[in-house]
């Protein structure tokens, strides 16, 4: 696997790796995952309690999402980076509403914050990368004093 080649790529790589690892944690040690999220872990589940089923599904989704994010980093797929900013902000909003309306425990706001801060970090990384890509480098001017301007989505 290649290391990220941009600031935004690093933010996507960190999120992807954590999503992959936390998804694996939920698949291997579901009780630990529930405790991390602030959910109660009873000694015995009642009939019709599908918490384990839901946790398996969401952990597998997290694991897969981590793989998708890391694949995007390996290919420097910048349109995907931009897409994630908006949808992570939506996720932040939905998770925050879940906490504020008592659907989820207060500790679950950490997940919302992670999504929101991650979206902002990726947006800042995209801005920084675009700004860096358009800045002329020393000795890159032509005979007329002009400098080439690389596309903000240029692969490095």
């Amino acid at each position: 696997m290649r290391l990220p080649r941009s600031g935004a790529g690093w933010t996507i790589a960190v999120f992807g790796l954590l999503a992959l690892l936390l998804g694996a944690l939920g698949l291997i040690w579901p009780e630990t995952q529930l405790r991390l999220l602030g959910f109660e872990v009873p000694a015995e589940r009642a009939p019709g309690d599908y918490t384990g089923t839901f946790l398996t599904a969401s952990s597998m989704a997290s694991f897969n999402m981590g793989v998708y994010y890391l694949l995007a980093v390996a290919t420097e797929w910048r349109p995907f980076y931009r897409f994630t900013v908006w949808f992570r902000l939506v996720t932040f909003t939905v998770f925050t509403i879940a906490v504020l309306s008592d659907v989820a425990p207060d500790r679950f706001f950490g997940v919302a914050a992670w999504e929101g801060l991650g979206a902002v970090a990726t947006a800042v990384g995209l801005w920084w990368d675009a700004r860096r890509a358009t800045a002329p480098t020393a000795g890159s001017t032509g005979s007329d004093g002009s400098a080439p301007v690389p596309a903000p989505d240029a692969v490095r």
Side-chain angles (χ1 to χ4, degrees):
M1 169 99 185
R2 289 177 159 167
L3 288 177
R5 297 179 298 276
S6 64
W10 276 104
T11 69
I12 296 292
V14 166
F15 181 76
L17 184 61
L18 286 172
L20 185 130
L21 293 174
L22 289 171
L25 176 71
L27 291 168
I28 298 167
W29 294 296
E31 295 81 15
T32 302
Q33 181 79 315
L34 288 171
R35 283 187 190 95
L36 280 173
L37 293 171
F39 293 109
E40 192 175 312
V41 181
E44 190 175 307
R45 295 263 177 212
D49 181 347
Y50 296 105
T51 302
T53 304
F54 179 77
L55 187 59
T56 298
S58 62
S59 293
M60 193 67 232
S62 177
F63 185 90
N64 286 341
M65 187 171 55
V67 171
Y68 303 153
Y69 273 63
L70 294 174
L71 179 61
V73 169
T75 60
E76 191 68 19
W77 188 19
R78 297 184 67 76
F80 179 81
Y81 297 0
R82 287 189 297 275
F83 173 83
T84 67
V85 169
W86 296 108
F87 279 88
R88 290 184 78 188
L89 289 172
V90 168
T91 304
F92 163 78
T93 303
V94 170
F95 288 178
T96 299
I97 290 169
V99 171
L100 294 175
S101 61
D102 290 327
V103 171
D106 291 346
R107 192 167 179 186
F108 195 70
F109 183 72
V111 179
W114 170 253
E115 291 288 345
L117 292 172
V120 170
T122 299
V124 168
L126 286 165
W127 171 81
W128 182 69
D129 294 340
R131 193 177 154 142
R132 195 178 68 181
T134 59
T137 58
S140 64
T141 58
S143 59
D144 64 351
S146 65
V149 179
D153 288 343
V155 175
R156 296 197 188 279

